[in-house]
Structure formats: C-alpha cells, structure tokens
Amino acid sequence: MATGYTSATAAVPASGITFPRSHRANIGVIVRDLSTGENIVEQNPDKFLTPASIVKSITAASVLLAGKADTAFSTPVYALGDIDADGMLNGSIVIKASGDPTTESSRFSNLPGLINSTADCIRRLGIRGIRGSLEIDSAGFVQQGPVDRWEFDDLKYAYGAGLHPVNYHDNTIYGDKALADPAEELLITLEERLDADSINVEWNEVDTAGILPRPLLTAVSPDAWQIMREMMEQSVNLYAESMLRLLAPGENRDAALARQLQLLQNTGIDIEAAQLFDGSGLTRANRVTPDFMADLLETMAKSEFSERFVSLFPCVGQQGTVRRLLCNTPLEGRLVLKSGSMNGVQTYAGYRLDSSNRPTHVVVIIVNDFTCKRAAVTSAISSFLLRQFPE
C-alpha cells in the first residue's frame, strides 16, 4: 500500500485534470509508482465517489482471489418420463438452471447452442412427441433478476438485463432491449425448433413420480476466466453479476458481496473505503475512494495473479470500451484501463505497462458530477495521462 504521502489533497494539482466547470465536479486521481508504492499524483484520494463500471475490476479480482477463475457453469438437460413404442415421451424435457450467463450468447458463438443441442439429442433418442411440457428447474438459485438498486429507467435496456437462473441470448432482445423473462423466451425458441423437427409438445400434466431422469446432455459454459475477459473488454453487466455470484454459490447477492469484502480484507485492503451493492457498477449507490482502487490494483499487481489480472484490462486505443481513448498517441497499447461511465460520471482504472507488458504504475481516475460534454472530460483525461507518461 502507498505510504508517505498526504491522505487528502483537495486542491487540483498543477498537472491535474481540468475541463469546463471542473471546479464544480468531484475529481479523484491517483497515479502510483509500483516500484516504490508512492503516489506520484493524487487528488482527493480519500473521497467517496461513484465508480461506475470500474467495479468490474473489483469483481474480477475477487474471483481470482477466490480461486474461481477456471470454474465453468454446467447446465444438465434430461428427459423425465417413459418413451413408448411410438416415440412418445410420457413426461417432460427439463433444463436444470445453473445461472450460466452465456447460454446462446452471440459473444460465444463458437460454442454449441443449448437449443440445437437439446433438439438433436431428443431426435436421436427417437422421441417423436412430448406429452408433457418443457420445463426449467431453478431450485437452488435464489434472488434472480436486476439488482434492486439499479435505476428503473436502466432496466429496459440491454445493459440493465439482470441475472436469472436461466439466461438466454445475453438476456436481450431487438439488439438493445432487456428480456424480462429469458427462461420463457428460451422455452418458446426450443419449442419452435422442435416443431421444425415435427416433434410436438402437448403441454399436459403428466405424473412422473418415481421415474428417474434420463440425461440428454450437459451444456458447459466457457470458464470464468473467458467470461471475465469479455466482461472487462465490453463491460457486460450481466457477466459481472454472474461472476459476483460465483463467490457464494446457492446464496443471495448479499452473501456474495460479504464474501467479496472478506477476500479483499484478507489481502490487507481497507474495506471500509468501499461500499458495494453489485458486481457491475450499474448502481449509483456504489462508493469507493481512489485510494481503495489504487490499493486493489497494487495488491493484484504484486500477487500471484498479477499476469492474469492485468491481462483482463483492455488496451487503450485498441480494445473494447477504451479503443478510442488515446488512439494514435504514444500511449496506445501502453496503458490498460477499465472504463466506467454514466450520466455525470467518467472513470478509469488500470495500469501503465513497460515494453515487456509488465505493470509499472497504477492509474485511477474518477470524475463525478461534471456538467460539460463527456468529450471534454475524456479529452482532459487524455491530456493528463500524456503529461504523466511521456514516451
């Protein structure tokens, strides 16, 4: 952790971040030299500020600290009922929900789709009709849907799609709208696929008591590491909420958040400098200090997880949500930053890299309550970074 510097600097440094009406904004900045642990720039290091999507880097760190980076979601599908001589299943097809956020996701289009795989298995089993129904078994998955602290206006958009026991197509529809009931949409689409194969679902109630399920397949997601790469590069809120819940399987969000804080506290980070209510940063209720973020980034850079953690951050000027930041400047590809934005909020957190792609400095920039255009803020931040790291 950084030592030997003033813990509260209210005045804007001469080399700090200024933009139109910046005196009305709340700005927190830390640039920390990892070789010494010293802050070479700081502004309001102890001020509680809204972090937006840089919260995802906290979530990613927690998953690594918990040893969950190689965990994958498994979603079993089985037939429940007898199959008669005519190929009629006297029962139902059941999907056992696992909370997998990547089911039928266009972000992982190289994976076999659950719907086509299920339909193929049903056909190969010789089933020509289903007397019962298509069902979702969500037992053991608690507290589904959007986070209760997310703003109502966000919930209709794709970025406001909540985590459910069964998720489908990133829980989005029409490109930018959130699915309120992804399980229903998945079952509708599965039935349509079965209809195309001339397999009719009758939707009757069938007594299957005492009948053992017949496994059809188990869909396996990408591991958490791959999901987090997409989460960080494209800032996918759904994936972040899923990763948070990995910390406390079968428990609610509060339990996962408590586990996260315990993991961070175990490393020596001051958890009193953070108030977190989700894994994605979508709620404005989240608060962190720049010093907390800098301590987290420094801790991870000096941990056994350093290489994996640092590689999760997208390169400025090249990747994801920071592909336009510092593009065609000497810092393109030399900074890796997670960005965050919402109305009146612009944030960045990450690292400056050396020529061997090893982190040399921690960078934390949190701007709240600005009233000028966002472009003016990002331009000021770019100028600040170019001054700090002349190549």
Side-chain angles (χ1 to χ4, degrees):
M1 309 305 167
T3 59
Y5 60 88
T6 303
S7 62
T9 306
V12 179
S15 60
I17 298 169
T18 59
F19 46 83
R21 299 182 295 282
S22 57
H23 64 284
R24 298 180 182 176
N26 287 298
I27 303 172
V29 179
I30 288 182
V31 178
R32 182 174 296 174
D33 187 333
L34 284 171
S35 67
T36 64
E38 297 289 334
N39 289 351
I40 59 176
V41 178
E42 65 174 20
Q43 180 180 350
N44 295 319
D46 295 328
K47 191 175 185 66
F48 275 91
L49 297 166
T50 300
S53 279
I54 62 172
V55 166
K56 293 180 176 69
S57 61
I58 306 173
T59 302
S62 302
V63 171
L64 285 166
L65 291 169
K68 299 277 190 175
D70 298 317
T71 301
F73 296 89
S74 296
T75 304
V77 182
Y78 52 89
L80 186 60
D82 296 323
I83 304 172
D84 65 23
D86 296 323
M88 178 63 72
L89 173 65
N90 294 302
S92 300
I93 300 296
V94 181
I95 299 171
K96 180 70 176 83
S98 66
D100 180 359
T102 69
T103 302
E104 300 287 348
S105 171
S106 59
R107 299 180 186 276
F108 295 96
S109 56
N110 59 314
L111 296 176
L114 178 66
I115 289 172
N116 285 338
S117 297
T118 299
D120 290 344
C121 285
I122 290 171
R123 189 178 62 253
R124 285 198 298 269
L125 202 57
I127 296 174
R128 299 181 180 179
I130 299 169
R131 186 153 288 134
S133 58
L134 307 176
E135 300 177 6
I136 302 292
D137 177 4
S138 59
F141 192 98
V142 298
Q143 199 177 36
Q144 66 185 41
V147 177
D148 55 7
R149 288 177 179 265
W150 289 358
E151 294 187 7
F152 180 78
D153 287 345
D154 290 333
L155 303 186
K156 60 186 176 183
Y157 295 108
Y159 66 83
L163 180 69
H164 292 259
V166 164
N167 303 284
Y168 174 70
H169 200 256
D170 296 317
N171 294 351
T172 63
I173 193 169
Y174 308 127
D176 66 343
K177 297 297 187 292
L179 271 173
D181 191 345
E184 180 182 29
E185 192 70 21
L186 184 148
L187 293 181
I188 289 171
T189 308
L190 176 57
E191 184 177 19
E192 290 173 348
R193 168 61 206 275
L194 293 174
D195 282 343
D197 288 347
S198 300
I199 300 172
N200 181 53
V201 182
E202 296 184 357
W203 298 97
N204 294 313
E205 290 189 13
V206 180
D207 183 7
T208 56
I211 298 176
L212 295 177
R214 183 193 301 256
L216 295 180
L217 74 150
T218 297
V220 180
S221 75
D223 61 30
W225 169 250
Q226 297 176 72
I227 296 172
M228 289 195 296
R229 287 181 66 89
E230 192 71 16
M231 171 191 84
M232 291 286 282
E233 185 170 322
Q234 301 300 328
S235 206
V236 185
N237 293 330
L238 172 65
Y239 292 179
E241 297 309 319
S242 172
M243 293 298 96
L244 175 67
R245 299 294 287 274
L246 269 185
L247 302 179
E251 299 185 69
N252 63 19
R253 189 179 304 108
D254 286 345
L257 288 164
R259 173 62 175 154
Q260 177 183 67
L261 290 177
Q262 184 62 59
L263 288 164
L264 298 177
Q265 187 175 46
N266 289 346
T267 71
I269 294 172
D270 178 14
I271 61 172
E272 297 299 321
Q275 298 171 350
L276 300 171
F277 299 96
D278 66 11
S280 60
L282 186 55
T283 174
R284 289 178 176 272
N286 291 324
R287 293 287 188 275
V288 300
T289 68
D291 198 46
F292 170 87
M293 289 302 306
D295 285 350
L296 173 84
L297 294 169
E298 180 183 10
T299 296
M300 295 304 293
K302 294 179 177 179
S303 75
E304 62 183 295
F305 308 107
S306 176
E307 185 175 350
R308 297 192 87 181
F309 184 67
V310 174
S311 69
L312 288 172
F313 289 74
C315 292
V316 302
Q318 297 177 359
Q319 297 175 317
T321 58
V322 293
R323 65 187 179 278
R324 294 188 180 90
L325 183 72
L326 295 163
C327 184
N328 299 319
T329 73
L331 287 181
E332 180 177 330
R334 296 267 59 86
L335 286 171
V336 290
L337 298 174
K338 178 70 194 82
S339 67
S341 63
M342 54 180 59
N343 188 29
V345 176
Q346 185 64 56
T347 65
Y348 295 99
Y351 301 96
R352 187 257 193 187
L353 307 179
D354 64 16
S355 59
S356 300
N357 291 325
R358 292 172 298 196
T360 63
H361 294 76
V362 162
V363 176
V364 178
I365 299 171
I366 305 178
V367 181
N368 285 186
D369 308 311
F370 63 84
T371 57
C372 63
K373 291 184 177 180
R374 187 177 304 277
V377 178
T378 56
S379 177
I381 290 171
S382 295
S383 296
F384 167 78
L385 291 170
L386 286 165
R387 291 195 303 272
Q388 292 305 311
F389 302 114
E391 293 291 309

